[in-house]
Amino acid sequence: MSHHPSAGQGPTPAPESGVSRWCEGSALLEGLVTVPVTVAFRYDAADPYAVRMAVHTEEAPPVEWVFARELLIEGLSRPAGLADVQVWPVPRRRRHLEAGRGAVNIRVSSQHGTTVLTVQATSLHAFLDRTLGTVAAGAEDTGPQIDAALASWLVLKGPDDGAA
């Protein structure tokens, strides 16, 4: 005989620490060829500043990028980023983004080349809203994981530590 706890009994589930979202989109490769892609965005509260983005195509293994969540947030409404990752809204008319008709471009560069990914603004916005529900903007460094990391890195030395 097995026993299953009834509703309200047993441990409370832990709050969600990870958020993910799959988005259909396209990739412009080296400015020459456009191919359909699936872009997987992942966020984990244990690494609160970062978003992981994996680009999946039928022709090649997935490629993963890691960059600041703030870059995506800013890129929804205006051009953001420098160097290897840049994000900007398309079209640049804000009312289209708010109506869900817009898209967001994400340009990624490496020594192997440059790709411009395009995903729907509503999909990216929904993903970011969920990440902000997990760890609010500005609250990234207030979690216990930061305190634990700092405690493990700091070594306090007393006056008798042998220093001359």
Side-chain angles (χ1 to χ4, degrees):
M1 177 177 198
S2 64
H3 173 71
H4 300 284
S6 61
Q9 294 180 351
T12 304
E16 181 180 19
S17 68
V19 175
S20 62
R21 176 132 187 153
W22 290 82
C23 303
E24 297 301 320
S26 63
L28 178 61
L29 307 174
E30 295 298 330
L32 301 172
V33 178
T34 301
V35 297
V37 296
T38 302
V39 181
F41 292 100
R42 288 190 332 264
Y43 176 81
D44 191 331
D47 191 3
Y49 291 102
V51 167
R52 286 168 168 44
M53 176 183 77
V55 181
H56 300 261
T57 68
E58 291 183 11
E59 291 80 31
V63 177
E64 185 172 273
W65 290 80
V66 179
F67 47 87
R69 173 177 70 166
E70 183 61 31
L71 179 64
L72 287 177
I73 293 169
E74 186 177 337
L76 278 173
S77 59
R78 64 182 171 273
L82 299 170
D84 294 342
V85 181
Q86 298 171 356
V87 183
W88 67 95
V90 177
R92 294 183 187 222
R93 292 175 289 197
R94 186 168 178 82
R95 73 175 195 273
H96 283 198
L97 285 174
E98 290 170 353
R101 296 190 309 253
V104 175
N105 281 342
I106 303 169
R107 179 182 180 268
V108 291
S109 299
S110 74
Q111 64 188 18
H112 303 293
T114 299
T115 300
V116 177
L117 304 164
T118 303
V119 297
Q120 289 298 311
T122 53
S123 293
L124 186 55
H125 197 279
F127 167 74
L128 291 169
D129 279 350
R130 288 185 57 213
T131 71
L132 292 167
T134 302
V135 177
E140 294 91 350
D141 63 352
T142 60
Q145 69 276 7
I146 299 297
D147 294 337
L150 286 174
S152 70
W153 296 333
L154 295 175
V155 177
L156 301 177
K157 295 184 178 182
D160 297 302
D161 64 0

